[in-house]
PDB file of all heavy atoms in Angstrom:
ATOM      1  N   PRO N  34       0.823  -1.247   0.006  1.00 83.00           N
ATOM      2  CA  PRO N  34      -0.005  -0.009   0.004  1.00 83.00           C
ATOM      3  C   PRO N  34       0.861   1.253  -0.026  1.00 83.00           C
ATOM      4  O   PRO N  34       0.454   2.288  -0.601  1.00 83.00           O
ATOM      5  CB  PRO N  34      -0.842  -0.131   1.287  1.00 83.00           C
ATOM      6  CG  PRO N  34      -0.928  -1.584   1.526  1.00 83.00           C
ATOM      7  CD  PRO N  34       0.381  -2.164   1.039  1.00 83.00           C
ATOM      8  N   SER N  35       1.949   1.242   0.676  1.00 86.00           N
ATOM      9  CA  SER N  35       2.865   2.424   0.735  1.00 86.00           C
ATOM     10  C   SER N  35       3.365   2.723  -0.661  1.00 86.00           C
ATOM     11  O   SER N  35       3.538   3.900  -1.033  1.00 86.00           O
ATOM     12  CB  SER N  35       3.965   2.179   1.738  1.00 86.00           C
ATOM     13  OG  SER N  35       4.753   1.065   1.345  1.00 86.00           O
ATOM     14  N   ALA N  36       3.676   1.672  -1.415  1.00 85.00           N
ATOM     15  CA  ALA N  36       4.197   1.875  -2.808  1.00 85.00           C
ATOM     16  C   ALA N  36       3.111   2.489  -3.684  1.00 85.00           C
ATOM     17  O   ALA N  36       3.385   3.309  -4.570  1.00 85.00           O
ATOM     18  CB  ALA N  36       4.694   0.562  -3.370  1.00 85.00           C
ATOM     19  N   ILE N  37       1.884   2.046  -3.476  1.00 87.00           N
ATOM     20  CA  ILE N  37       0.767   2.589  -4.260  1.00 87.00           C
ATOM     21  C   ILE N  37       0.542   4.081  -3.952  1.00 87.00           C
ATOM     22  O   ILE N  37       0.381   4.917  -4.831  1.00 87.00           O
ATOM     23  CB  ILE N  37      -0.538   1.791  -3.937  1.00 87.00           C
ATOM     24  CG1 ILE N  37      -0.365   0.303  -4.392  1.00 87.00           C
ATOM     25  CG2 ILE N  37      -1.711   2.428  -4.674  1.00 87.00           C
ATOM     26  CD1 ILE N  37      -1.521  -0.576  -3.986  1.00 87.00           C
ATOM     27  N   VAL N  38       0.615   4.393  -2.648  1.00 89.00           N
ATOM     28  CA  VAL N  38       0.487   5.809  -2.249  1.00 89.00           C
ATOM     29  C   VAL N  38       1.611   6.627  -2.824  1.00 89.00           C
ATOM     30  O   VAL N  38       1.414   7.743  -3.324  1.00 89.00           O
ATOM     31  CB  VAL N  38       0.428   5.910  -0.702  1.00 89.00           C
ATOM     32  CG1 VAL N  38       0.439   7.390  -0.245  1.00 89.00           C
ATOM     33  CG2 VAL N  38      -0.779   5.245  -0.136  1.00 89.00           C
ATOM     34  N   ARG N  39       2.837   6.086  -2.793  1.00 90.00           N
ATOM     35  CA  ARG N  39       3.979   6.789  -3.297  1.00 90.00           C
ATOM     36  C   ARG N  39       3.830   7.057  -4.840  1.00 90.00           C
ATOM     37  O   ARG N  39       4.146   8.114  -5.337  1.00 90.00           O
ATOM     38  CB  ARG N  39       5.271   6.012  -3.050  1.00 90.00           C
ATOM     39  CG  ARG N  39       6.547   6.811  -3.233  1.00 90.00           C
ATOM     40  CD  ARG N  39       7.753   5.970  -2.956  1.00 90.00           C
ATOM     41  NE  ARG N  39       7.643   5.201  -1.726  1.00 90.00           N
ATOM     42  CZ  ARG N  39       7.636   3.883  -1.659  1.00 90.00           C
ATOM     43  NH1 ARG N  39       7.705   3.187  -2.818  1.00 90.00           N
ATOM     44  NH2 ARG N  39       7.486   3.264  -0.522  1.00 90.00           N
ATOM     45  N   ALA N  40       3.337   6.008  -5.542  1.00 88.00           N
ATOM     46  CA  ALA N  40       3.135   6.180  -6.979  1.00 88.00           C
ATOM     47  C   ALA N  40       2.053   7.175  -7.302  1.00 88.00           C
ATOM     48  O   ALA N  40       2.184   7.987  -8.199  1.00 88.00           O
ATOM     49  CB  ALA N  40       2.743   4.822  -7.564  1.00 88.00           C
ATOM     50  N   ALA N  41       0.968   7.230  -6.434  1.00 88.00           N
ATOM     51  CA  ALA N  41      -0.081   8.226  -6.637  1.00 88.00           C
ATOM     52  C   ALA N  41       0.469   9.612  -6.408  1.00 88.00           C
ATOM     53  O   ALA N  41       0.109  10.568  -7.131  1.00 88.00           O
ATOM     54  CB  ALA N  41      -1.231   7.911  -5.667  1.00 88.00           C
ATOM     55  N   VAL N  42       1.366   9.759  -5.426  1.00 90.00           N
ATOM     56  CA  VAL N  42       1.932  11.121  -5.182  1.00 90.00           C
ATOM     57  C   VAL N  42       2.946  11.525  -6.255  1.00 90.00           C
ATOM     58  O   VAL N  42       2.904  12.641  -6.780  1.00 90.00           O
ATOM     59  CB  VAL N  42       2.605  11.098  -3.779  1.00 90.00           C
ATOM     60  CG1 VAL N  42       3.348  12.487  -3.551  1.00 90.00           C
ATOM     61  CG2 VAL N  42       1.515  10.915  -2.678  1.00 90.00           C
ATOM     62  N   ASP N  43       3.791  10.599  -6.596  1.00 88.00           N
ATOM     63  CA  ASP N  43       4.829  10.915  -7.571  1.00 88.00           C
ATOM     64  C   ASP N  43       4.233  11.195  -8.975  1.00 88.00           C
ATOM     65  O   ASP N  43       4.768  12.055  -9.689  1.00 88.00           O
ATOM     66  CB  ASP N  43       5.858   9.732  -7.719  1.00 88.00           C
ATOM     67  CG  ASP N  43       6.650   9.559  -6.443  1.00 88.00           C
ATOM     68  OD1 ASP N  43       6.704  10.488  -5.609  1.00 88.00           O
ATOM     69  OD2 ASP N  43       7.200   8.475  -6.266  1.00 88.00           O
ATOM     70  N   ASP N  44       3.188  10.518  -9.285  1.00 87.00           N
ATOM     71  CA  ASP N  44       2.557  10.697 -10.651  1.00 87.00           C
ATOM     72  C   ASP N  44       1.228  11.375 -10.538  1.00 87.00           C
ATOM     73  O   ASP N  44       0.305  11.116 -11.336  1.00 87.00           O
ATOM     74  CB  ASP N  44       2.382   9.328 -11.337  1.00 87.00           C
ATOM     75  CG  ASP N  44       3.718   8.666 -11.684  1.00 87.00           C
ATOM     76  OD1 ASP N  44       4.364   9.131 -12.609  1.00 87.00           O
ATOM     77  OD2 ASP N  44       4.067   7.700 -10.979  1.00 87.00           O
ATOM     78  N   ARG N  45       1.080  12.249  -9.561  1.00 87.00           N
ATOM     79  CA  ARG N  45      -0.229  12.929  -9.355  1.00 87.00           C
ATOM     80  C   ARG N  45      -0.685  13.747 -10.517  1.00 87.00           C
ATOM     81  O   ARG N  45      -1.880  13.795 -10.844  1.00 87.00           O
ATOM     82  CB  ARG N  45      -0.167  13.735  -8.046  1.00 87.00           C
ATOM     83  CG  ARG N  45       0.889  14.831  -8.050  1.00 87.00           C
ATOM     84  CD  ARG N  45       0.938  15.501  -6.657  1.00 87.00           C
ATOM     85  NE  ARG N  45       1.950  16.490  -6.545  1.00 87.00           N
ATOM     86  CZ  ARG N  45       3.230  16.278  -6.297  1.00 87.00           C
ATOM     87  NH1 ARG N  45       3.609  15.021  -6.076  1.00 87.00           N
ATOM     88  NH2 ARG N  45       4.114  17.254  -6.209  1.00 87.00           N
ATOM     89  N   ALA N  46       0.282  14.416 -11.193  1.00 92.00           N
ATOM     90  CA  ALA N  46      -0.139  15.222 -12.352  1.00 92.00           C
ATOM     91  C   ALA N  46      -0.636  14.344 -13.447  1.00 92.00           C
ATOM     92  O   ALA N  46      -1.653  14.651 -14.083  1.00 92.00           O
ATOM     93  CB  ALA N  46       1.079  16.067 -12.830  1.00 92.00           C
ATOM     94  N   LEU N  47       0.081  13.208 -13.688  1.00 91.00           N
ATOM     95  CA  LEU N  47      -0.365  12.251 -14.748  1.00 91.00           C
ATOM     96  C   LEU N  47      -1.788  11.737 -14.429  1.00 91.00           C
ATOM     97  O   LEU N  47      -2.649  11.638 -15.283  1.00 91.00           O
ATOM     98  CB  LEU N  47       0.620  11.133 -14.897  1.00 91.00           C
ATOM     99  CG  LEU N  47       0.249   9.999 -15.816  1.00 91.00           C
ATOM    100  CD1 LEU N  47       0.129  10.481 -17.257  1.00 91.00           C
ATOM    101  CD2 LEU N  47       1.291   8.841 -15.687  1.00 91.00           C
ATOM    102  N   LEU N  48      -1.949  11.282 -13.193  1.00 91.00           N
ATOM    103  CA  LEU N  48      -3.227  10.688 -12.773  1.00 91.00           C
ATOM    104  C   LEU N  48      -4.341  11.778 -12.772  1.00 91.00           C
ATOM    105  O   LEU N  48      -5.478  11.445 -13.083  1.00 91.00           O
ATOM    106  CB  LEU N  48      -3.101  10.095 -11.358  1.00 91.00           C
ATOM    107  CG  LEU N  48      -2.236   8.814 -11.268  1.00 91.00           C
ATOM    108  CD1 LEU N  48      -2.018   8.432  -9.810  1.00 91.00           C
ATOM    109  CD2 LEU N  48      -2.842   7.706 -12.030  1.00 91.00           C
ATOM    110  N   ALA N  49      -4.017  12.991 -12.430  1.00 93.00           N
ATOM    111  CA  ALA N  49      -5.043  14.038 -12.416  1.00 93.00           C
ATOM    112  C   ALA N  49      -5.556  14.328 -13.803  1.00 93.00           C
ATOM    113  O   ALA N  49      -6.749  14.400 -14.082  1.00 93.00           O
ATOM    114  CB  ALA N  49      -4.459  15.321 -11.794  1.00 93.00           C
ATOM    115  N   ASP N  50      -4.595  14.416 -14.788  1.00 93.00           N
ATOM    116  CA  ASP N  50      -5.044  14.652 -16.204  1.00 93.00           C
ATOM    117  C   ASP N  50      -5.800  13.486 -16.730  1.00 93.00           C
ATOM    118  O   ASP N  50      -6.830  13.653 -17.414  1.00 93.00           O
ATOM    119  CB  ASP N  50      -3.772  14.910 -17.062  1.00 93.00           C
ATOM    120  CG  ASP N  50      -3.085  16.221 -16.694  1.00 93.00           C
ATOM    121  OD1 ASP N  50      -3.748  17.102 -16.125  1.00 93.00           O
ATOM    122  OD2 ASP N  50      -1.890  16.398 -17.039  1.00 93.00           O
ATOM    123  N   ALA N  51      -5.331  12.248 -16.409  1.00 92.00           N
ATOM    124  CA  ALA N  51      -5.979  11.075 -16.940  1.00 92.00           C
ATOM    125  C   ALA N  51      -7.364  10.913 -16.320  1.00 92.00           C
ATOM    126  O   ALA N  51      -8.317  10.515 -17.020  1.00 92.00           O
ATOM    127  CB  ALA N  51      -5.131   9.816 -16.666  1.00 92.00           C
ATOM    128  N   SER N  52      -7.494  11.198 -15.037  1.00 93.00           N
ATOM    129  CA  SER N  52      -8.798  11.066 -14.376  1.00 93.00           C
ATOM    130  C   SER N  52      -9.773  12.030 -14.863  1.00 93.00           C
ATOM    131  O   SER N  52     -11.020  11.725 -14.973  1.00 93.00           O
ATOM    132  CB  SER N  52      -8.627  11.231 -12.841  1.00 93.00           C
ATOM    133  OG  SER N  52      -8.171  12.530 -12.515  1.00 93.00           O
ATOM    134  N   LEU N  53      -9.338  13.235 -15.281  1.00 94.00           N
ATOM    135  CA  LEU N  53     -10.228  14.228 -15.854  1.00 94.00           C
ATOM    136  C   LEU N  53     -10.781  13.729 -17.193  1.00 94.00           C
ATOM    137  O   LEU N  53     -12.018  13.880 -17.477  1.00 94.00           O
ATOM    138  CB  LEU N  53      -9.520  15.577 -16.048  1.00 94.00           C
ATOM    139  CG  LEU N  53     -10.372  16.718 -16.630  1.00 94.00           C
ATOM    140  CD1 LEU N  53     -11.544  17.037 -15.746  1.00 94.00           C
ATOM    141  CD2 LEU N  53      -9.502  17.946 -16.832  1.00 94.00           C
ATOM    142  N   VAL N  54      -9.915  13.124 -17.979  1.00 92.00           N
ATOM    143  CA  VAL N  54     -10.354  12.575 -19.284  1.00 92.00           C
ATOM    144  C   VAL N  54     -11.367  11.442 -19.072  1.00 92.00           C
ATOM    145  O   VAL N  54     -12.420  11.444 -19.702  1.00 92.00           O
ATOM    146  CB  VAL N  54      -9.153  12.070 -20.081  1.00 92.00           C
ATOM    147  CG1 VAL N  54      -9.590  11.331 -21.324  1.00 92.00           C
ATOM    148  CG2 VAL N  54      -8.213  13.209 -20.492  1.00 92.00           C
ATOM    149  N   THR N  55     -11.080  10.540 -18.141  1.00 93.00           N
ATOM    150  CA  THR N  55     -11.961   9.421 -17.913  1.00 93.00           C
ATOM    151  C   THR N  55     -13.257   9.871 -17.306  1.00 93.00           C
ATOM    152  O   THR N  55     -14.322   9.387 -17.721  1.00 93.00           O
ATOM    153  CB  THR N  55     -11.281   8.389 -16.989  1.00 93.00           C
ATOM    154  OG1 THR N  55     -10.079   7.920 -17.618  1.00 93.00           O
ATOM    155  CG2 THR N  55     -12.189   7.176 -16.746  1.00 93.00           C
ATOM    156  N   ALA N  56     -13.223  10.829 -16.409  1.00 93.00           N
ATOM    157  CA  ALA N  56     -14.428  11.341 -15.783  1.00 93.00           C
ATOM    158  C   ALA N  56     -15.338  12.011 -16.823  1.00 93.00           C
ATOM    159  O   ALA N  56     -16.572  11.838 -16.793  1.00 93.00           O
ATOM    160  CB  ALA N  56     -14.070  12.348 -14.681  1.00 93.00           C
ATOM    161  N   THR N  57     -14.726  12.726 -17.784  1.00 93.00           N
ATOM    162  CA  THR N  57     -15.562  13.331 -18.849  1.00 93.00           C
ATOM    163  C   THR N  57     -16.223  12.274 -19.685  1.00 93.00           C
ATOM    164  O   THR N  57     -17.428  12.390 -19.995  1.00 93.00           O
ATOM    165  CB  THR N  57     -14.648  14.198 -19.765  1.00 93.00           C
ATOM    166  OG1 THR N  57     -13.960  15.185 -18.979  1.00 93.00           O
ATOM    167  CG2 THR N  57     -15.426  14.884 -20.836  1.00 93.00           C
ATOM    168  N   GLU N  58     -15.507  11.237 -20.016  1.00 93.00           N
ATOM    169  CA  GLU N  58     -16.100  10.128 -20.804  1.00 93.00           C
ATOM    170  C   GLU N  58     -17.238   9.468 -20.012  1.00 93.00           C
ATOM    171  O   GLU N  58     -18.280   9.143 -20.563  1.00 93.00           O
ATOM    172  CB  GLU N  58     -15.033   9.086 -21.104  1.00 93.00           C
ATOM    173  CG  GLU N  58     -13.940   9.628 -22.013  1.00 93.00           C
ATOM    174  CD  GLU N  58     -12.694   8.724 -22.072  1.00 93.00           C
ATOM    175  OE1 GLU N  58     -12.683   7.709 -21.274  1.00 93.00           O
ATOM    176  OE2 GLU N  58     -11.761   8.991 -22.808  1.00 93.00           O
ATOM    177  N   VAL N  59     -17.024   9.259 -18.720  1.00 94.00           N
ATOM    178  CA  VAL N  59     -18.031   8.572 -17.891  1.00 94.00           C
ATOM    179  C   VAL N  59     -19.293   9.405 -17.764  1.00 94.00           C
ATOM    180  O   VAL N  59     -20.437   8.906 -17.969  1.00 94.00           O
ATOM    181  CB  VAL N  59     -17.431   8.271 -16.469  1.00 94.00           C
ATOM    182  CG1 VAL N  59     -18.519   7.862 -15.531  1.00 94.00           C
ATOM    183  CG2 VAL N  59     -16.346   7.199 -16.550  1.00 94.00           C
ATOM    184  N   VAL N  60     -19.152  10.676 -17.428  1.00 94.00           N
ATOM    185  CA  VAL N  60     -20.297  11.534 -17.200  1.00 94.00           C
ATOM    186  C   VAL N  60     -21.101  11.752 -18.465  1.00 94.00           C
ATOM    187  O   VAL N  60     -22.327  11.588 -18.516  1.00 94.00           O
ATOM    188  CB  VAL N  60     -19.868  12.889 -16.576  1.00 94.00           C
ATOM    189  CG1 VAL N  60     -21.063  13.827 -16.519  1.00 94.00           C
ATOM    190  CG2 VAL N  60     -19.289  12.677 -15.222  1.00 94.00           C
ATOM    191  N   LEU N  61     -20.393  12.115 -19.559  1.00 95.00           N
ATOM    192  CA  LEU N  61     -21.074  12.324 -20.834  1.00 95.00           C
ATOM    193  C   LEU N  61     -21.738  11.032 -21.384  1.00 95.00           C
ATOM    194  O   LEU N  61     -22.853  11.060 -21.878  1.00 95.00           O
ATOM    195  CB  LEU N  61     -20.093  12.895 -21.895  1.00 95.00           C
ATOM    196  CG  LEU N  61     -19.597  14.301 -21.629  1.00 95.00           C
ATOM    197  CD1 LEU N  61     -18.685  14.763 -22.738  1.00 95.00           C
ATOM    198  CD2 LEU N  61     -20.739  15.306 -21.527  1.00 95.00           C
ATOM    199  N   GLY N  62     -21.003   9.966 -21.257  1.00 94.00           N
ATOM    200  CA  GLY N  62     -21.569   8.656 -21.713  1.00 94.00           C
ATOM    201  C   GLY N  62     -22.799   8.258 -20.944  1.00 94.00           C
ATOM    202  O   GLY N  62     -23.766   7.757 -21.491  1.00 94.00           O
TER     203      GLY N  62
END
């Protein structure tokens, strides 16, 4: 779990951009 948290923090910009794209697809769909 600590490695997952570390990956989420280290790649937060990547995950934030990707989550925005996926959230747009989910809501509009």
Side-chain angles (χ1 to χ4, degrees):
S35 58
I37 298 173
V38 173
R39 194 180 315 116
V42 173
D43 293 343
D44 293 287
R45 58 186 178 276
L47 174 65
L48 290 173
D50 292 340
S52 63
L53 180 60
V54 172
T55 301
T57 302
E58 296 166 354
V59 167
V60 173
L61 292 180

